[in-house]
Amino acid sequence: MKPAPFVYHAPRDLGEAIEALAEAGAHGKVLAGGQSLIPLLNMRLAAPEQLIDINRIEALEPFGAEGAGVRVGALARHSQVERSAEVARAQPLLRQALKLVAHPVIRNRGTVVGSLVHADPAAELPAVLALLDGTIRLARLDVMRDVPASEFFTGPLESALEPGELAVSAYFPALPERTGTAFAEVARRHGDYALAGVAALVRLDEDLRVASAKVACIGVGHVPIVADVSQECEHRPASTVDWAGVARAVQDRTEPEADIHATAEYRRHLVGVLAMRALTEAARNAA
């Protein structure tokens, strides 16, 4: 199939792009990596009247450590961020998650910010942003705002992005000392969307006891589900925590639904297995 007719814009700078988006309003779509948008256009599941291609805007390309975290521009490709040693030092969870995103060919073109804006509850990067309390920077005419992940993801393929707004970057806070992360998921085939997945973060205190622990789950809710399980760890040394019990607490906070790929019960079971696996690995990385 081919997409429905649309007016094509190829702005050269951010101001021009925002003006085009303001004019298009709810009838406009942004093209960056296009790995989700192009199939939707071809199947006519999306039929915007105007398409704004931002790939020529050099100001949206940079990414790297910024302050106490990582700032990723709207045109930074998955593969670029995945391979960056600077990013991995500042925020290792990004690399851990990105290596699970689709296939190398997709990661060479797809963008980190585009994946966040697509807001698929089974995707890895929304869970990473939610777990880290990151933010998305949105721009429109004369206005720039930073939206926290807890407010950005509003439903399946739905976000706080408003008509006329452009997501220009995402910010992933860095980790405190003695903090470890991990990402575990199960998919029918490597590169497919996960049936369920868990991103985990564990922080130890100076005595190597668990000071905080939380997870973000994908594929088991309408948005990434973040669960703080610090209390269940009882401030014990990581080696003596009942991680199986903690994983059961994570299961209880999920809302899986059945579909053609898996039953709700199976997804809940996977969350428990993956939570235990990811939390244990994160605790090891923290130590």
Side-chain angles (χ1 to χ4, degrees):
M1 296 181 65
K2 296 182 179 179
F6 54 79
V7 176
Y8 177 76
H9 300 271
R12 295 281 179 176
D13 59 53
L14 184 58
E16 188 180 347
I18 291 175
E19 288 178 4
L21 268 174
E23 180 182 338
H27 303 291
K29 285 284 187 181
V30 173
L31 174 64
Q35 301 307 291
S36 297
L37 179 60
I38 296 300
L40 291 174
L41 294 176
N42 288 341
M43 291 185 287
R44 301 206 175 188
L45 296 174
E49 296 178 5
Q50 301 189 47
L51 190 68
I52 295 89
D53 184 346
I54 63 172
N55 281 281
R56 295 166 180 80
I57 304 176
E58 295 182 358
L60 298 178
E61 295 177 359
F63 66 92
E66 177 185 299
V70 173
R71 173 76 60 184
V72 179
L75 289 181
R77 312 295 169 178
H78 289 128
S79 59
Q80 293 176 314
V81 179
E82 177 190 0
R83 296 168 186 165
S84 169
E86 178 187 12
V87 169
R89 283 193 299 269
Q91 185 42 264
L93 184 57
L94 268 170
R95 175 177 286 179
Q96 292 164 347
L98 281 166
K99 67 182 182 181
L100 300 173
V101 173
H103 305 280
V105 172
I106 300 297
R107 297 201 294 272
N108 284 341
R109 188 63 188 172
T111 63
V112 169
V113 173
S115 180
L116 295 170
V117 170
H118 189 54
D120 193 312
E124 294 84 0
L125 291 178
V128 172
L129 193 76
L131 181 65
L132 299 175
D133 296 319
T135 57
I136 294 280
R137 179 162 293 173
L138 307 177
R140 63 191 309 159
L141 287 175
D142 303 321
V143 177
M144 192 90 72
R145 64 185 180 121
D146 289 328
V147 181
S150 59
E151 299 174 12
F152 185 73
F153 304 109
T154 59
L157 307 182
E158 296 179 350
S159 73
L161 184 74
E162 297 178 356
E165 281 189 319
L166 175 65
V168 296
S169 67
Y171 185 73
F172 300 86
L175 302 174
E177 291 185 359
R178 295 182 298 278
T179 302
T181 59
F183 205 114
E185 69 178 32
V186 169
R188 296 180 67 188
R189 297 173 300 179
H190 176 70
D192 284 0
Y193 276 110
L195 296 176
V198 174
L201 184 154
V202 175
R203 182 172 63 84
L204 306 180
D205 62 17
E206 294 181 355
D207 298 323
L208 300 185
R209 295 175 178 270
V210 177
S212 64
K214 61 179 183 175
V215 300
C217 305
I218 64 174
V220 290
H222 294 162
V223 297
I225 294 177
V226 179
D228 189 326
V229 288
S230 304
Q231 186 173 350
E232 285 77 4
C233 295
E234 301 177 334
H235 196 218
R236 298 170 65 89
S239 60
T240 67
V241 171
D242 177 14
W243 293 115
V246 176
R248 287 193 293 272
V250 174
Q251 283 179 305
D252 293 340
R253 303 183 198 184
T254 61
E255 303 170 359
E257 295 180 355
D259 58 23
I260 62 173
H261 303 295
T263 64
E265 291 76 14
Y266 182 57
R267 291 183 190 274
R268 183 175 285 107
H269 168 73
L270 284 179
V271 165
V273 174
L274 295 170
M276 182 174 174
R277 185 181 302 170
L279 284 163
T280 303
E281 182 180 346
R284 284 199 305 266
N285 292 337

